[in-house]
Amino acid sequence: MSSPQSDTILSGQRVTGLQIRIVYRDGDGEIHFDWPIEQIPLALEDEKGTLWVEIDDQTQNTDRRVEELLDGVFHFHPLAIEDAVQDTHVAKVDDWGEYLYIVFHNIDFDPDTDLIRLHELDIFLGANYLVTYHNEPLKILDQLRRNIERDPTNRLKHGAGHLLYHILDMSVAEYLPAIEHLDEAIDSAQDEVFHRPTPSTLQAIFQVKRSALRLHRILAPEREVLNRLARDEYSPVNPEHRIYFRDVYDHVVRVHDITESLRDLISGALDTYLSAISNRTNDIMKAFTLVTVMFLPLSFLTSFFGMNFFGGTLEFEGWLPKRALFVGSCMIMLFMPGFLYLFAKRRGWF
């Protein structure tokens, strides 16, 4: 069994950041986990066998020897090879006659930040072989390889098309935990909106919205890919395997519908947040306005009389003494705010 190292010997040369793992089930049912690269043509001649070549290319620039493997050994079309080594970010299926070229996506979800990262997986499906190419580690492929190692007798016996079904099914299954977490995040954000919304609440809503939109953008073309695999006639796909792709297609449709409802929940949470902030702003402005109105008569009173009660002696000047004016002004200043407060409360202004 090949060891998962970052350096792999390819055609007698050591390549850093490139790993090629080959699993081959021959026509007699025996599985080889360390099938040599030089004997890939021998495995391709075995019509009853199943060959899985996994290319993990984490080099900054795609090594030309990968292209030589895809072109010189498998004889893939240069346009298909170019699409594989360069990220297209669009799920699709191209029919090249003897083989199919498929682009699919896996997700890497961080529950702490609600961030979704996409990982492109390029797949070549032939009559008796499957080639997967990716430039980032994919957990589903490691898991699938462990499943084959645990049950080597029953694995790969249904051919390369059935192996493709497992890869696509495991990819779609990764969407459900992410969507469930996003749904819980929206519920939590809605609770914060009703209790005490903060700017961090708005940031959380927008983060969930970005993740949901990213999921929605990739699910629509992936649904079309699975629909074509389930209904169209392709020579590398066994007609008996179409029902499996139809099952994955149903899963994608259900996930796509859930994301649609999730988008509605996000829009509702955002509208609720904006309404809550607007109502809170109105309450604050109402309180400030009430305070201003409460002190407006006081400002008028003090500005009108000048409040010069103790500038001279407390003798009679006119028909009222300064002491009486001072006491009366204080009584008005104490009574007026309370009166306006009770008046506003009785009218239900706050």
Side-chain angles (χ1 to χ4, degrees):
M1 185 182 305
S2 60
S3 59
Q5 300 175 353
S6 61
D7 296 341
T8 301
I9 297 178
L10 178 61
S11 300
Q13 300 184 30
R14 183 172 295 275
V15 182
T16 303
L18 176 64
Q19 183 178 13
I20 299 179
R21 297 187 293 185
I22 303 176
V23 180
Y24 170 51
R25 184 182 189 274
D26 58 29
D28 297 330
E30 183 179 358
I31 294 184
H32 309 272
F33 291 98
D34 53 354
W35 191 256
I37 297 177
E38 293 78 8
Q39 298 186 17
I40 288 180
L42 180 62
L44 294 176
E45 296 176 356
D46 185 4
E47 297 180 356
K48 296 183 179 180
T50 302
L51 178 68
W52 177 25
V53 179
E54 179 192 355
I55 304 176
D56 184 3
D57 185 7
Q58 299 184 32
T59 57
Q60 294 182 354
N61 297 318
T62 302
D63 196 283
R64 62 180 181 82
R65 279 161 287 199
V66 175
E67 299 181 6
E68 291 177 357
L69 174 63
L70 299 178
D71 184 15
V73 177
F74 289 95
H75 306 292
F76 295 142
H77 196 277
L79 292 178
I81 298 176
E82 182 181 357
D83 289 343
V85 299
Q86 298 179 0
D87 290 343
T88 59
H89 302 295
V90 177
K92 65 177 182 178
V93 52
D94 293 337
D95 184 8
W96 292 96
E98 296 181 355
Y99 61 91
L100 296 179
Y101 169 63
I102 302 170
V103 179
F104 217 75
H105 291 90
N106 296 99
I107 64 171
D108 184 11
F109 180 70
D110 186 359
D112 296 330
T113 60
D114 298 330
L115 181 64
I116 290 180
R117 297 181 58 216
L118 301 180
H119 305 292
E120 182 176 315
L121 177 61
D122 300 277
I123 305 172
F124 294 91
L125 174 66
N128 62 340
Y129 66 85
L130 184 73
V131 179
T132 57
Y133 176 87
H134 55 95
N135 49 29
E136 291 179 309
L138 296 182
K139 295 182 295 184
I140 63 167
L141 298 183
D142 295 334
Q143 180 63 40
L144 181 58
R145 186 179 179 87
R146 288 193 294 267
N147 293 341
I148 296 175
E149 293 173 354
R150 284 197 299 264
D151 189 10
T153 304
N154 296 323
R155 301 290 179 175
L156 299 180
K157 69 177 183 179
H158 297 292
H162 197 264
L163 181 63
L164 173 64
Y165 152 73
H166 283 293
I167 293 177
L168 300 183
D169 185 55
M170 296 173 69
S171 298
V172 174
E174 288 188 332
Y175 297 152
L176 292 177
I179 292 177
E180 291 177 357
H181 183 85
L182 292 178
D183 188 32
E184 294 176 358
I186 285 297
D187 291 340
S188 178
Q190 288 178 337
D191 293 338
E192 292 182 9
V193 167
F194 286 114
H195 289 86
R196 188 173 181 81
T198 61
S200 61
T201 305
L202 180 62
Q203 183 179 0
I205 292 175
F206 275 112
Q207 181 60 56
V208 174
K209 183 178 181 179
R210 285 192 295 267
S211 299
L213 288 176
R214 180 169 294 183
L215 275 177
H216 185 267
R217 283 196 298 266
I218 66 173
L219 283 174
E222 288 183 354
R223 181 179 60 179
E224 180 62 23
V225 168
L226 290 168
N227 183 42
R228 293 181 60 183
L229 291 175
R231 302 182 185 277
D232 295 348
E233 296 182 359
Y234 297 117
S235 57
V237 179
N238 191 331
E240 297 178 356
H241 294 161
R242 292 177 189 168
I243 188 173
Y244 297 105
F245 295 115
R246 192 174 304 156
D247 178 69
V248 184
Y249 170 77
D250 293 337
H251 293 171
V252 171
V253 170
R254 183 165 64 251
V255 172
H256 185 270
D257 293 340
I258 295 176
T259 56
E260 288 286 350
S261 61
L262 186 62
R263 293 175 61 189
D264 295 337
L265 290 176
I266 294 172
S267 300
L270 183 59
D271 293 340
T272 304
Y273 173 84
L274 296 177
S275 299
I277 293 298
S278 178
N279 292 335
R280 185 179 177 184
T281 303
N282 291 336
D283 292 339
I284 294 174
M285 295 303 298
K286 187 185 298 182
F288 284 148
T289 303
L290 181 60
V291 171
T292 302
V293 172
M294 289 169 59
F295 284 91
L296 183 61
L298 278 64
S299 300
F300 171 78
L301 183 65
T302 56
S303 62
F304 182 79
F305 289 103
M307 296 288 100
N308 296 322
F309 296 116
F310 303 106
T313 61
L314 295 178
E315 298 178 355
F316 283 97
E317 295 181 359
W319 63 282
L320 281 178
K322 290 185 177 181
R323 185 183 299 275
L325 290 174
F326 173 74
V327 174
S329 299
C330 291
M331 294 298 294
I332 293 175
M333 287 188 290
L334 291 176
F335 169 76
M336 187 60 66
F339 171 76
L340 292 176
Y341 174 80
L342 294 176
F343 177 77
K345 190 175 182 63
R346 183 179 181 86
R347 295 294 299 271
W349 292 350
F350 64 93

